[in-house]
Amino acid sequence: MPNRLAQTESTLATPDRLWRPEIKRHFGPDGVLLHGFGHDANGS
């Protein structure tokens, strides 16, 4: 049985690596904290 958690983490690592600098560019150095972990940060 494959390690699904490791597989999911690996799958999401690339989009996250691309997303973080873009959010910082638009919203400043605290952009990830302000917009990435709030109630509305559900990926939709």
Side-chain angles (χ1 to χ4, degrees):
M1 183 168 144
N3 184 343
R4 290 175 123 3
L5 180 58
Q7 183 179 7
T8 299
E9 183 177 351
S10 176
T11 299
L12 295 175
T14 298
D16 187 60
R17 224 177 5 259
L18 298 172
W19 175 82
R20 287 176 180 271
E22 193 67 17
I23 291 298
K24 288 179 183 178
R25 186 170 69 86
H26 285 285
F27 300 107
D30 292 332
V32 172
L33 292 173
L34 295 172
H35 299 285
F37 302 102
H39 176 67
D40 294 333
N42 60 10
S44 58

